[in-house]
Amino acid sequence: MQIGIIGLGKMGGNMAQRLRNAGHDVVGFDRGDNTARDVATLEELVAALSPPRAVWVMVPSGAPTTATVVSLRDLLSAGDLVIDGGNSRYTDDAEHAGLLAAKGIEFVDAGVSGGVWGLQNGYALMVGGAAANVARVQPIFDALKPPGDFGFVHVGKQPGAGHFAKMVHNGIEYGMMQAYAEGYELMAATPLVENVAETFRSWREGTVIRSWLLDLAVNALDADPDLHLLRGYAEDSGEGRWTVDAAIQHAVPMPVITAALFARFASRQEDSPAMKMVAALRNQFGGHAVTSAAGSFEKGADSPGADVTPPVGGSPAA
């Protein structure tokens, strides 16, 4: 089958290669000076495809995706099909589908998971859109998914169904990663566990917490046993925030995923303003010791040898 792919980054480039390996005719385009691209402009990409065309968009979410959809609306013809396989917010899909439908162009949204391992192992695909449109490009989905019975699902007929499922998938991922990370930190904090990396490795078989994420944790510890080469700073792609927003909209309690998202926010602070206030309050009501911004230790009422008069009405240590 012939398909155009817009966006040949780490994911898009590997997807194009996996499709070619399966015998599909791929025409690739990237706005950057990417040597992997087959054409230099969107116009050339559309001209290289035989109607009815299928174009897979794999660019950053938000404005870049919207701009690409608008450009394709002006270049494609009625009966052509656009697949948004990026990490778009599900609420954007209805807007994009409407823009294309005005010219008779079909739309499918596809949440894609697999990262840099997808070329080798295949990609998990969560797809939204009319059944006829999904069936039309099923050979593409079949080539991208892992071999076997799993890895592909037609989530629903409405635009955004696929990206909603992918958003929830990523929210679950946040919670799982945070749980592994907290377990790692606790074991590393006690002298009782003399080999944290081997403990993680032992969990890969026979335990209820074995998973691909656990395998990746073992890989990371093999490369850097104490993780001393890394800084404890974690970004978020936005999908964790969207998941929490959706939970609020639907009144669904989601404490684990919410806490995992907030933990990432905390990782970006050199010095927590909130904890400064906690320290200041403990010092005010209990005379507890504080550490100055310069790093020096200032004794409080609970410190050996301290001579600090607690405020009137001060309460016990907290």
Side-chain angles (χ1 to χ4, degrees):
M1 180 175 178
Q2 187 184 53
I3 190 166
I5 293 186
I6 301 172
L8 300 173
K10 289 184 291 186
M11 287 277 283
N14 281 348
M15 290 168 66
Q17 186 59 54
R18 185 172 175 88
L19 288 172
R20 289 189 175 109
N21 292 347
H24 293 286
D25 178 13
V26 178
V27 181
F29 167 71
D30 193 283
R31 291 191 182 278
D33 186 17
N34 191 318
T35 57
R37 69 185 185 183
D38 302 297
V39 293
T41 66
L42 279 179
E43 291 80 1
E44 291 180 13
L45 179 135
V46 171
L49 298 173
S50 301
R53 305 171 186 88
V55 180
W56 189 300
V57 178
M58 204 69 188
V59 301
S61 62
T65 295
T66 298
T68 303
V69 168
V70 169
S71 296
L72 289 173
R73 177 198 60 186
D74 297 336
L75 293 170
L76 294 174
S77 304
D80 291 343
L81 172 66
V82 172
I83 307 161
D84 179 7
N87 276 338
S88 291
R89 190 168 188 171
Y90 71 96
T91 50
D92 292 341
D93 291 318
E95 176 188 348
H96 296 160
L99 287 171
L100 296 168
K103 280 194 60 177
I105 302 167
E106 305 294 339
F107 178 82
V108 166
D109 64 286
V112 181
S113 182
V116 296
W117 296 86
L119 174 59
Q120 174 183 339
N121 299 333
Y123 299 89
L125 305 168
M126 294 143 270
V127 176
N133 290 332
V134 174
R136 175 174 160 185
V137 287
Q138 190 65 51
I140 296 298
F141 297 140
D142 289 342
L144 289 172
K145 68 179 284 295
D149 296 332
F150 306 110
F152 171 84
V153 60
H154 182 194
V155 179
K157 300 179 180 65
Q158 296 299 315
H163 281 141
F164 191 93
K166 176 57 164 45
M167 176 192 74
V168 175
H169 166 280
N170 280 24
I172 294 170
E173 178 186 298
Y174 275 49
M176 292 176 66
M177 285 194 287
Q178 187 66 24
Y180 284 128
E182 291 175 7
Y184 166 81
E185 182 173 0
L186 180 57
M187 287 195 294
T190 173
L192 288 173
V193 180
E194 298 179 9
N195 197 327
V196 178
E198 282 303 313
T199 303
F200 264 74
R201 188 188 311 281
S202 75
W203 292 343
R204 295 175 71 176
E205 295 292 344
T207 73
V208 297
I209 64 167
R210 61 189 184 273
S211 72
W212 186 46
L213 278 176
L214 178 62
D215 294 341
L216 295 178
V218 172
N219 290 349
L221 292 171
D222 283 344
D224 184 9
D226 299 318
L227 301 182
H228 69 282
L229 299 177
L230 300 176
R231 180 185 167 203
Y233 181 105
E235 280 289 0
D236 67 286
S237 65
E239 298 213 23
R241 304 184 192 206
W242 303 340
T243 306
V244 173
D245 283 345
I248 293 169
Q249 292 169 20
H250 294 279
V252 174
M254 200 169 280
V256 172
I257 293 173
T258 302
L261 174 64
F262 286 1
R264 295 197 184 192
F265 296 164
S267 79
R268 301 167 204 165
Q269 296 181 331
E270 293 287 349
D271 193 11
S272 168
M275 296 315 294
K276 286 183 180 182
M277 178 55 73
V278 170
L281 289 171
R282 293 185 78 247
N283 179 258
Q284 287 293 313
F285 70 67
H288 301 299
V290 295
T291 302
S292 73
S296 60
F297 181 76
E298 299 179 9
K299 290 182 179 180
D302 58 350
S303 304
D307 185 18
V308 177
T309 302
V312 175
S315 57

